[in-house]
Amino acid sequence: MDTWGFVAVIAVAFVSSLLTYLFTRLRMERAAGERVRALAEALAALENEKAKFEEAAKGIEESARRKALDEFLADLRVEERRYVRQHRVLFAHRKSLVLQERIFFRSIPISNWVEHEVPVEEGADLDDVAKTLSVFNGLQGETSAPQSARRLWFRAS
């Protein structure tokens, strides 16, 4: 009976170690599944945060570009000068309004003088005629002459 008892003890030990191994293996797989699920949730949260960060970065970059463009446009100004040119042909006198404009970036001229000459009738309002002739007046978003621009008034006789 000693051999049968010894075989039974070995069989019980083998079965119990096999059951212990299987239960431990199941518990480890369940823990691994929970870790995988937690890792997937963390990755999803990380992707969500990354998308939010990229959107915020795009907004910041766009606002920085817009601010830089606004600062650049604030440094642009228009210089204009106008005068009346009189043509005398025998007994006829003809007047024409000459408007010259150019664009400046700070103190650097960007364009050459753009000149417009329009015949003017006697008694016409020269300021209104000059406003309709202005090419760069819309640059600063105003319909009237910009206050930041210098005007040089010349009279030709």
Side-chain angles (χ1 to χ4, degrees):
M1 174 134 163
D2 284 333
T3 54
W4 285 108
F6 184 69
V7 170
V9 169
I10 290 179
V12 169
F14 180 73
V15 169
S16 66
S17 64
L18 182 64
L19 287 175
T20 304
Y21 172 76
L22 291 175
F23 285 135
T24 305
R25 177 83 180 200
L26 270 170
R27 192 171 50 185
M28 288 176 64
E29 285 182 11
R30 186 175 31 180
E34 289 176 4
R35 287 185 190 131
V36 166
R37 193 168 46 250
L39 182 61
E41 289 174 1
L43 283 174
L46 184 64
E47 288 293 325
N48 190 17
E49 289 296 320
K50 182 180 177 184
K52 286 181 184 177
F53 175 74
E54 287 174 354
E55 187 175 320
K58 285 180 184 177
I60 291 170
E61 184 178 316
E62 182 178 323
S63 68
R65 267 196 214 130
R66 185 171 293 140
K67 184 179 178 183
L69 181 63
D70 289 343
E71 288 176 2
F72 172 74
L73 290 177
D75 287 337
L76 289 179
R77 65 182 180 84
V78 176
E79 181 181 32
E80 78 178 38
R81 58 187 181 189
R82 50 186 145 158
Y83 57 92
V84 175
R85 186 178 291 163
Q86 294 182 358
H87 298 283
R88 296 180 186 161
V89 179
L90 294 177
F91 296 108
H93 294 285
R94 287 188 340 208
K95 283 186 177 179
S96 59
L97 175 68
V98 178
L99 175 70
Q100 295 177 334
E101 298 176 304
R102 68 177 170 180
I103 301 175
F104 273 84
F105 175 71
R106 296 182 182 151
S107 63
I108 304 167
I110 294 178
S111 68
N112 290 332
W113 288 102
V114 177
E115 184 174 311
H116 304 283
E117 185 172 353
V118 169
V120 179
E121 296 179 10
E122 192 66 37
D125 188 15
L126 296 179
D127 288 334
D128 288 339
V129 173
K131 287 178 188 174
T132 60
L133 286 178
S134 179
V135 172
F136 301 125
N137 209 8
L139 180 71
Q140 295 175 339
E142 301 175 3
T143 56
S144 63
Q147 294 180 2
S148 63
R150 290 187 334 213
R151 283 203 193 105
L152 303 174
W153 297 91
F154 296 106
R155 269 284 174 194
S157 51

